[in-house]
């Protein structure tokens, strides 16, 4: 009996510890204002400015939201700060940053930390999901960073796999820009690399700043939605495409562009005065290439789509190739597994909280592609050349034909792939309306376009550009 009473007493004491009181965090009343929610959602989707009281949304240089007085009540924030400063901090230092960081706060039992966590995981996460129009995971990664004199965090992005939103809640004393520690927002150049600081946000007490994390700009994501058949944006279908591509190193994606977009581009090429230049010499090639400066607007937009970083990432999903430095690779998966093995048993989320600009200490490289918009007529072709084999590279070829309905095998005009110093054809890709062809070739594979030997209503007679066959031809490099 005595032993049982002792065990019961111990269990009761443990229960008291487990049920340690949680202080409720009351977030800004703006988050429960339906008019504000609609205003933020509409402005965010349109990349417009919006403000209401303590809330400000700005989209330059990229969308970011600021909410002052994020937590109601000075008592809560002061006690929260006190609990955070009592945590154990670990120094984080490398070429990119130097500061002190706590362990992940998901398992902390302090009453005010617990209350903040509940508010972030509950009301705030739900509000964000509605405003951004995305379904967010139920778990929020959250830790505390402590910056002291000489500490620094240099230019970086917050891109990590699965991350959609990054936020900072400042609990700082009265602060001036001359004190340092500003949140500097960078513009980007034509290759989407950081260029210069265009806005600096000064830390202030109880102020939350958030921004959407994306490997590409919103404009590029919009391009995909605007131009592509929705089937090819489905993640599960992308996995099926990748499986088929990995089995054969080639695939044709039919009805790739939205029908109305495909027709718009096709008609613009037939009816608009595009500047074409004959390609030679005749012992190498014979076809025409369009001048980029003379593209009609819709054709220029299609070209932008095929060159965009969003499209590089999409092609990476289709093929499993690492065409963009943000796309996953086998090496990344192995390193991630090794890191998980090393950290097994540790209750820390620091790897998910560390900025990713210099992940694995590798410098991100700009995605590379080259392309042409070509026009084909009776008698056009390309030929193999003795020097082609020495210049061959591992690459992904893309072809998107236009204005070639009911193309027949005997017409020629197909792209033929052969092994170096071999006559047997490995693959023939025939022109097909709005069918995106992807072919991966190694250094031993060469290609040429078979002589077009047929005149029909789809091919030009004389100099008429109304009966031509066109294609976008791109090469993407890992």
């Amino acid at each position: 009996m005595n032993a049982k009473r002792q065990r019961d007493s111990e269990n009761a004491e443990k229960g008291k510890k487990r049920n340690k009181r949680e202080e409720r965090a009351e977030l800004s009343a703006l988050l429960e204002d339906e008019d504000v929610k609609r205003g933020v959602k509409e402005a965010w989707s349109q990349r417009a400015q919006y403000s209401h009281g303590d809330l400000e949304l700005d989209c330059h240089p990229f969308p970011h939201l600021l909410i002052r007085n994020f937590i109601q009540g000075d008592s809560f924030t002061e006690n929260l700060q006190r609990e955070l400063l009592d945590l154990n901090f670990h120094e984080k230092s490398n070429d990119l940053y130097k500061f002190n960081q706590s362990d992940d706060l998901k398992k902390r039992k302090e009453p005010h930390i617990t209350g903040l966590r509940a508010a972030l995981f509950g009301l705030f996460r739900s509000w964000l999901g509605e405003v951004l129009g995305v379904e967010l995971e139920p778990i929020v990664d959250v830790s505390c960073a402590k910056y002291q004199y000489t500490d620094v965090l240099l230019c970086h992005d917050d891109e990590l796999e699965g991350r959609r939103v990054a936020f900072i809640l400042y609990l700082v004393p009265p602060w001036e820009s001359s004190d340092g520690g500003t949140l500097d927002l960078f513009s980007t150049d034509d290759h989407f690399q950081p260029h210069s600081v265009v806005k600096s946000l000064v830390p202030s007490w109880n102020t939350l700043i958030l921004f959407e994390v994306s490997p590409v700009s919103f404009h590029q994501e919009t391009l995909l939605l605007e131009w592509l058949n929705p089937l090819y944006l489905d993640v599960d279908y992308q996995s099926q495409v990748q499986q088929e591509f990995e089995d054969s190193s080639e695939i044709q994606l039919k009805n790739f562009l939205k029908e109305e977009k495909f027709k718009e581009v096709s008609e613009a090429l037939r009816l608009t005065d595009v500047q074409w230049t004959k390609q030679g010499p005749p012992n190498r090639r014979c076809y025409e290439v369009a001048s980029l400066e003379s593209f009609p607007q819709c054709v220029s937009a299609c070209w932008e789509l095929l060159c965009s970083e969003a499209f590089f990432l999409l092609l990476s999903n289709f093929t499993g190739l690492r065409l963009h430095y943000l796309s996953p690779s086998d090496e990344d998966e192995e390193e991630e597994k090794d890191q998980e093995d090393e950290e097994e048993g540790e209750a820390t989320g620091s790897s998910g909280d560390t900025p990713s600009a210099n992940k694995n200490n590798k410098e991100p490289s700009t995605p590379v592609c080259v392309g042409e918009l070509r026009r084909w007529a009776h008698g056009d072709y390309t030929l193999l050349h003795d020097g082609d084999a020495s210049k061959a590279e591992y690459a992904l070829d893309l072809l998107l034909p236009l204005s070639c309905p009911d193309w027949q095998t005997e017409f020629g005009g197909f792209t033929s792939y052969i092994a170096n110093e071999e006559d047997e054809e490995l693959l023939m890709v025939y022109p097909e309306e709005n069918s995106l062809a992807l072919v991966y070739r190694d250094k031993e594979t060469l290609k040429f376009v078979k002589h077009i030997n047929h005149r029909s209503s789809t091919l030009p007679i004389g100099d008429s550009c109304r009966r031509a066959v066109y294609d976008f031809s791109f090469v993407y490099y890992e």
Side-chain angles (χ1 to χ4, degrees):
M1 292 290 289
N2 291 339
K4 183 177 186 301
R5 286 197 200 96
Q6 183 177 355
R7 287 196 301 272
D8 289 346
S9 176
E10 290 173 354
N11 290 338
E13 185 63 27
K14 290 179 181 178
K16 289 178 182 178
K17 291 180 180 179
R18 283 197 299 268
N19 294 326
K20 194 172 182 180
R21 185 166 58 92
E22 171 188 317
E23 292 290 341
R24 180 180 173 84
E26 295 287 348
L27 302 186
S28 170
L30 292 169
L31 300 182
E32 300 188 78
D33 188 315
E34 291 298 324
D35 290 336
V36 171
K37 184 190 298 183
R38 281 192 296 270
V40 174
K41 182 175 183 178
E42 181 179 351
W44 193 288
S45 66
Q46 297 177 2
R47 273 23 188 184
Q49 290 185 326
Y50 176 85
S51 64
H52 185 101
D54 287 331
L55 183 149
E56 295 179 14
L57 169 63
D58 191 5
C59 293
H60 180 69
F62 50 81
H64 56 280
L65 182 68
L66 182 149
I67 306 176
R68 297 183 181 85
N69 300 311
F70 180 69
I71 301 173
Q72 298 185 48
D74 291 338
S75 175
F76 186 96
T77 51
E78 289 168 359
N79 285 315
L80 173 64
Q81 184 193 49
R82 187 159 38 250
E83 290 176 3
L84 291 171
L85 291 176
D86 285 340
L87 297 175
N88 292 322
F89 286 83
H90 312 283
E91 183 176 295
K92 314 283 288 187
S93 180
N94 64 14
D95 59 330
L96 178 65
Y97 50 76
K98 176 181 174 291
F99 61 94
N100 287 271
Q101 186 180 52
S102 74
D103 291 335
D104 196 307
L105 301 182
K106 284 199 286 285
K107 295 185 178 181
R108 300 303 307 183
K109 301 298 184 183
E110 290 81 357
H112 295 85
I113 294 177
T114 303
L116 173 65
R117 187 174 64 233
L120 293 175
F121 288 22
L123 171 63
F124 186 58
R125 183 185 65 83
S126 175
W127 186 84
L128 274 181
E130 290 188 54
V131 165
L132 300 180
V134 297
E135 184 175 352
L136 298 173
E137 293 293 330
I139 300 301
V140 180
D141 292 328
V142 56
S143 64
C144 179
K146 181 168 63 175
Y147 290 86
Q148 303 175 104
Y149 182 64
T150 74
D151 284 351
V152 67
L153 174 56
L154 299 177
C155 178
H156 67 282
D157 61 40
D158 283 85
E159 177 63 29
L160 287 174
E161 184 176 358
R163 182 176 287 182
R164 292 301 304 265
V165 178
F167 65 87
I168 304 167
L169 175 61
Y170 287 107
L171 295 174
V172 297
W175 206 264
E176 303 290 340
S177 59
S178 58
D179 296 323
T182 56
L183 179 61
D184 295 334
L185 308 184
F186 283 75
S187 62
T188 56
D189 60 21
D190 292 339
H191 300 293
F192 303 97
Q193 298 301 304
H195 181 260
S196 59
V197 176
V198 295
K199 187 173 185 178
S200 293
L201 301 174
V202 179
S204 61
W205 175 263
N206 194 15
T207 295
L208 181 130
I209 300 174
L210 71 89
F211 45 91
E212 188 175 21
V213 176
S214 175
V216 293
S217 70
F218 174 81
H219 174 58
Q220 289 181 319
E221 290 177 345
T222 302
L223 272 178
L224 299 184
L225 293 169
E226 180 183 354
W227 281 84
L228 300 191
N229 182 336
L231 174 67
Y232 296 112
L233 300 180
D234 181 87
V235 175
D236 292 334
Y237 194 76
Q238 290 174 15
S239 297
Q240 296 178 33
V241 170
Q242 184 178 129
Q243 182 62 56
E244 184 175 339
F245 182 87
E246 290 177 341
D247 290 342
S248 60
S249 296
E250 61 91 13
I251 196 169
Q252 286 196 273
L253 306 177
K254 300 180 185 296
N255 301 314
F256 185 70
L257 299 182
K258 288 184 176 180
E259 184 178 359
E260 64 273 16
K261 289 294 185 182
F262 181 79
K263 288 182 177 179
E264 183 182 7
V265 173
S266 299
E267 291 191 7
L269 289 174
R270 289 191 299 105
L271 302 176
T272 307
D273 187 18
V274 178
Q275 182 180 347
W276 299 93
T277 303
K278 196 75 171 181
Q279 302 298 295
N283 65 335
R284 297 291 303 276
R285 62 185 68 85
C286 179
Y287 63 90
E288 294 176 305
V289 170
S291 168
L292 189 64
E293 293 75 19
S294 67
F295 281 4
Q297 183 176 357
C298 64
V299 177
S300 182
C302 188
W303 180 274
E304 180 183 349
L305 165 72
L306 300 175
C307 295
S308 69
E309 293 202 40
F311 199 74
F312 272 88
L313 288 164
L314 182 67
L315 290 179
S316 296
N317 289 346
F318 284 156
T319 63
L321 302 173
R322 198 179 193 197
L323 302 174
H324 192 287
Y325 65 86
L326 290 175
S327 57
S329 68
D330 294 339
E331 182 181 350
D332 288 339
E333 292 175 1
E334 291 174 3
E335 291 181 0
E336 186 175 320
K337 185 178 185 303
D338 291 342
Q339 184 174 356
E340 288 176 355
D341 292 341
E342 292 173 2
E343 296 180 352
E344 187 174 358
E346 296 182 10
T348 174
S350 60
S351 64
D353 301 315
T354 302
S356 63
N358 287 346
K359 184 181 178 183
N360 302 329
N361 295 320
K362 295 177 183 175
E363 184 70 21
S365 58
T366 303
V368 178
C369 70
V370 294
E372 293 179 320
L373 173 55
R374 307 183 296 187
R375 186 171 75 172
W376 300 90
H378 175 264
D380 285 349
Y381 57 85
T382 67
L383 299 175
L384 296 177
H385 189 268
D386 292 341
D388 289 348
S390 64
K391 299 177 182 177
E393 299 182 71
Y394 292 97
L396 178 70
D397 293 334
L398 176 149
L399 283 175
L400 181 60
L402 306 96
S403 301
C404 56
D406 304 319
W407 192 265
Q408 302 297 315
T409 305
E410 59 269 20
F411 294 175
F414 55 83
T415 302
S416 177
Y417 289 83
I418 65 170
N420 186 27
E421 299 183 351
E422 299 287 341
D423 292 331
E424 184 178 355
E425 289 174 314
L426 302 174
L427 174 69
M428 291 177 286
V429 179
Y430 292 93
E432 183 177 347
E433 286 273 272
N434 197 16
S435 181
L436 186 83
L438 299 175
V439 180
Y440 183 70
R441 54 185 165 87
D442 58 23
K443 292 184 176 182
E444 296 299 317
T445 304
L446 305 176
K447 65 174 180 175
F448 65 92
V449 176
K450 190 71 172 178
H451 174 264
I452 296 177
N453 56 27
H454 182 75
R455 280 195 178 96
S456 74
S457 59
T458 63
L459 294 173
I461 299 175
D463 294 328
S464 173
C465 65
R466 293 176 179 270
R467 300 177 182 175
V469 175
Y470 310 88
D471 65 28
F472 287 97
S473 173
F474 275 78
V475 181
Y476 300 83
Y477 299 96
E478 285 191 280

